[in-house]
Amino acid sequence: MHPLEKFEYCPRCGSKHFVVHNEKSKLCENCGFVYYANPCSATAAFIINEKNELLVVKRAKEPAKGTLDLPGGFCDMYETAEEGIRREIKEETDIDVKDIEYLFSIPNIYRYSGIDIHTLDMFYLCRIKGDVEIHAADDASECFWLPISEIHSEQFGLRSIRQAIYQADFLKNLK
Ligand SMILES: [Zn+2]
């Protein structure tokens, strides 16, 4: 499916003659406007405490409502990925993280409001020292520490999160 299939009209002039230009873009035959679909930036965090437990959240909203997830979300405009992940962690778990380390990224498709949103999910590792208070809020209905030996990737509803857990070698070393 073309990433802009649901976008039927030119967003500049409103013409219906908004046609596929190439695999990533559509062209308005009326005004010449070309619109490219680029992936949205998103972040997610592996937050590990000194007992080698992973902080997980339960998703409060669709997609994949009720399944486990890592704290994270879309980056806002004018925000760095590092600011984005710190903000999302604060919103969903109430933790202020200091040290964060970039790990890897995975392209993903996130179905929202009936539209497939292409994302580039960037994963970070955050290590937490000592006891911290956690409070679930925003997109998280619960948050809790899960011993790394009890992590099963199939409990995580979003595909890229499952894949990240599967490929996160440091988790295997902590078991
Ligand atoms: Zn147009």
Side-chain angles (χ1 to χ4, degrees):
M1 187 200 280
H2 193 277
L4 293 170
E5 187 188 81
K6 294 276 171 86
F7 295 77
E8 292 179 49
Y9 300 93
C10 172
R12 187 175 177 219
C13 77
S15 167
K16 281 174 71 174
H17 302 285
F18 192 48
V19 299
V20 171
H21 181 50
N22 61 31
E23 61 180 7
K24 293 181 279 192
S25 70
K26 283 183 108 174
L27 162 73
C28 177
E29 292 177 328
N30 184 52
C31 73
F33 179 69
V34 178
Y35 184 74
Y36 275 85
N38 296 306
C40 295
S41 307
T43 56
F46 289 94
I47 304 172
I48 310 277
N49 67 13
E50 290 176 304
K51 291 182 252 176
N52 282 344
E53 294 169 324
L54 176 71
L55 187 64
V56 297
V57 297
K58 199 168 264 191
R59 293 182 59 79
K61 299 173 188 167
E62 295 293 351
K65 184 178 172 181
T67 67
L68 297 188
D69 199 1
L70 298 175
F74 288 105
C75 294
D76 286 340
M77 280 174 268
Y78 308 110
E79 184 176 63
T80 67
E82 290 75 16
E83 288 165 348
I85 191 59
R86 286 194 173 95
R87 176 182 51 74
E88 289 284 353
I89 292 168
K90 179 70 178 172
E91 286 173 3
E92 294 181 0
T93 72
D94 205 25
I95 297 178
D96 291 297
V97 291
K98 293 184 183 71
D99 298 326
I100 61 171
E101 176 191 339
Y102 176 74
L103 295 172
F104 51 76
S105 62
I106 299 176
N108 192 25
I109 296 174
Y110 184 85
R111 190 146 186 95
Y112 188 77
S113 293
I115 289 182
D116 285 338
I117 310 288
H118 289 255
T119 69
L120 182 60
D121 297 347
M122 292 169 273
F123 290 84
Y124 286 85
L125 172 62
C126 310
R127 292 192 182 275
I128 299 285
K129 292 209 170 78
D131 286 330
V132 287
E133 289 213 21
I134 53 175
H135 302 284
D138 197 47
D139 293 341
S141 61
E142 290 175 47
C143 64
F144 55 92
W145 295 102
L146 189 63
I148 290 186
S149 58
E150 292 175 24
I151 294 172
H152 300 290
S153 58
E154 63 271 17
Q155 298 168 297
F156 292 79
L158 298 180
R159 187 190 56 80
S160 75
I161 303 291
R162 275 200 305 277
Q163 190 182 332
I165 286 169
Y166 185 73
Q167 77 179 61
D169 291 330
F170 67 92
L171 289 176
K172 299 178 186 93
N173 299 332
L174 293 175
K175 272 183 192 177

